[in-house]
Amino acid sequence: MLGGHRGAHTLVQTRSAILPARVVSNFFLVEAPQTDGKIYRFMIDTGSSTTLVSPALASALKVKTRRNQAPVTVPIRSADGKEISLPEVTLRQLSLGEAGFERVPVLVNDFSDLSEHLGVQIDGVIGFTLFREKLLTLDYPHSRLAIEPYPLLGPPPAPKASPRAVTVTFANEQGTPQIPVQMGNESFFVLIDSGSDGGLSLNSAGLHPQFASGPRPGKLATSLAGDRQQMVGRLAQDITIGTQVITRPVVDLTDQLSSVGGELLSHFVLTFDQRRHRVTWESMVDGPIQMAPRPDTGISFRRYPKYWRVLAVTPQSPASDSTIQTGDVCVRVNGEPIAQWNIERYTALLRSAANVTYTFIVGPKEQDIELPVFNLVP
């Protein structure tokens, strides 16, 4: 989640579009060809009011400026509260299938670290305000993105009638959707943040959360905002969004705005109506949503194509009882080179395996260390 810059009004074409999506490590990704004939991959980030693109995409699609015109930089605030400045340009057009957005103000950002972490090339992060004149649907269960224009005459279409759907009004003063949720007898606002891979990030100031397990030190979370040590646990209370119930969710404590990320959003089809400040949540199952445990071995990695470097070792984990230290280099998992382990395959391994064997470079030699998989949050 990034925030702090909304940009100028975006002219929008009136076509609708449905694009296949790919959910990688709970991030919602889509691919779309642009006017230069190349296909680019974007992350959809409802937690950002800003659209960011890579230097290569900006160079290919930006509106030309006068030779002597000074570049403009814009300060933005990241999710960890830090402020950074990024160059601003205007794209002639940004296309998502048949939906076209003209003269789009964007910031230019390097996505190399995020691309290496996910194992796929990321060319841009599309913020929520780009869709302010469209109905936007993020369909996680069916892996698709839908964009519909508002009708030229008459009111927007009503949300679909479904016993598994609920429509909630969101606040939108900062250019991002914030909704009220209920925890026990306490109510608070959360940001709907598809640009986060977490579940519920909870700022407990003024609240009284009760925990079934934890909170305890978790992994080192890596994102566009930087690295942050997690404190994670499972609530003893349910969370309610409208009539949707999430049973005793896993939470990550934060000192920033509370938010719901892709781990929780992945259970829903979400349709955003920015004109009426409404979002419809549709579940694919009857009854409450259950959030699975978080299996792990206790190592946080920085991922590179040919090796992974240890960023941190989680306290009170199998890795903390080993010789593994921050900075160590892992070159194989279960005997296979790191290049064969994208984040999706590795996550699936942690969910199914009892043990994982890592091969580290130790001086001139290699060393195999086998670690048991445990539930970081039961």
Side-chain angles (χ1 to χ4, degrees):
M1 181 269 289
L2 295 169
H5 168 69
R6 299 189 63 174
H9 179 68
T10 303
L11 300 176
V12 185
Q13 297 178 4
T14 57
R15 295 178 181 175
S16 60
I18 296 178
L19 286 78
R22 181 179 173 189
V23 180
V24 177
S25 188
N26 296 320
F27 293 112
F28 197 95
L29 309 179
V30 295
E31 296 180 358
Q34 302 302 314
T35 53
D36 65 345
K38 296 181 180 179
I39 296 175
Y40 295 90
R41 183 179 292 113
F42 302 96
M43 178 189 297
I44 307 299
D45 185 0
T46 59
S48 174
S49 59
T50 306
T51 293
L52 303 97
V53 300
S54 67
L57 191 153
S59 178
L61 303 183
K62 69 180 180 180
V63 174
K64 292 183 178 180
T65 58
R66 296 187 301 272
R67 179 175 299 179
N68 296 327
Q69 184 173 337
V72 176
T73 60
V74 176
I76 63 171
R77 179 179 51 81
S78 63
D80 59 3
K82 295 179 181 178
E83 190 173 278
I84 57 177
S85 293
L86 297 175
E88 181 182 44
V89 299
T90 299
L91 303 185
R92 297 188 300 274
Q93 180 171 312
L94 181 64
S95 300
L96 293 175
E98 294 297 316
F101 303 83
E102 299 175 349
R103 299 194 64 84
V104 180
V106 301
L107 302 182
V108 183
N109 186 71
D110 184 358
F111 298 104
S112 299
D113 286 348
L114 181 61
S115 298
E116 289 174 345
H117 176 70
L118 296 180
V120 294
Q121 178 67 37
I122 302 297
D123 302 297
V125 172
I126 298 180
F128 189 59
T129 54
L130 185 73
F131 305 102
R132 59 182 172 267
E133 295 299 327
K134 298 280 190 180
L135 292 173
L136 170 69
T137 297
L138 303 183
D139 186 340
Y140 282 87
H142 303 106
S143 298
R144 69 178 198 127
L145 173 77
I147 304 170
E148 293 289 336
Y150 288 101
L152 296 177
L153 299 174
K160 64 171 67 177
S162 167
R164 296 175 179 169
V166 61
T167 299
V168 181
T169 299
F170 62 80
N172 195 24
E173 287 80 5
Q174 304 300 320
T176 51
Q178 300 175 31
I179 60 170
V181 302
Q182 196 77 19
M183 179 180 67
N185 61 0
E186 297 180 314
S187 180
F188 59 100
F189 276 81
V190 300
L191 172 70
I192 304 175
D193 188 5
S194 63
S196 165
D197 63 348
L200 171 62
S201 292
L202 177 66
N203 186 327
S204 60
L207 301 174
H208 303 85
Q210 301 170 20
F211 288 89
S213 65
R216 54 153 296 159
K219 302 192 67 157
L220 197 67
T222 300
S223 69
L224 288 177
D227 300 330
R228 181 178 60 83
Q229 181 72 54
Q230 294 178 326
M231 287 293 294
V232 296
R234 184 180 291 276
L235 289 178
Q237 302 145 295
D238 295 344
I239 293 290
T240 304
I241 301 172
T243 57
Q244 301 281 5
V245 177
I246 298 92
T247 302
R248 303 199 314 170
V250 175
V251 300
D252 173 15
L253 296 180
T254 180
D255 58 1
Q256 303 298 311
L257 178 66
S258 296
S259 65
V260 289
E263 182 183 9
L264 194 152
L265 300 178
S266 63
H267 296 276
F268 296 96
V269 180
L270 296 103
T271 298
F272 296 90
D273 177 349
Q274 293 197 49
R275 282 192 181 178
R276 296 190 292 182
H277 291 191
R278 294 180 178 180
V279 56
T280 298
W281 300 66
E282 183 180 9
S283 171
M284 294 295 100
V285 299
D286 294 320
I289 298 297
Q290 308 283 339
M291 292 185 67
R294 287 189 182 175
D296 201 54
T297 58
I299 313 175
S300 300
F301 288 108
R302 174 84 71 191
R303 292 174 172 84
Y304 299 97
K306 294 184 179 180
Y307 66 92
W308 295 348
R309 186 177 296 278
V310 176
L311 275 178
V313 175
T314 304
Q316 304 167 27
S317 72
S320 68
D321 295 327
S322 73
T323 59
I324 300 170
Q325 297 181 8
T326 299
D328 286 353
V329 172
C330 175
V331 293
R332 285 195 293 277
V333 172
N334 282 355
E336 298 183 48
I338 282 299
Q340 298 181 27
W341 289 95
N342 60 28
I343 195 168
E344 293 170 287
R345 187 185 178 206
Y346 180 67
T347 300
L349 174 68
L350 293 178
R351 290 176 181 151
S352 61
N355 301 278
V356 177
T357 299
Y358 302 93
T359 302
F360 290 93
I361 300 294
V362 181
K365 299 180 180 180
E366 295 183 353
Q367 179 183 6
D368 288 342
I369 298 179
E370 184 180 53
L371 297 177
V373 177
F374 79 115
N375 282 331
L376 181 66
V377 181

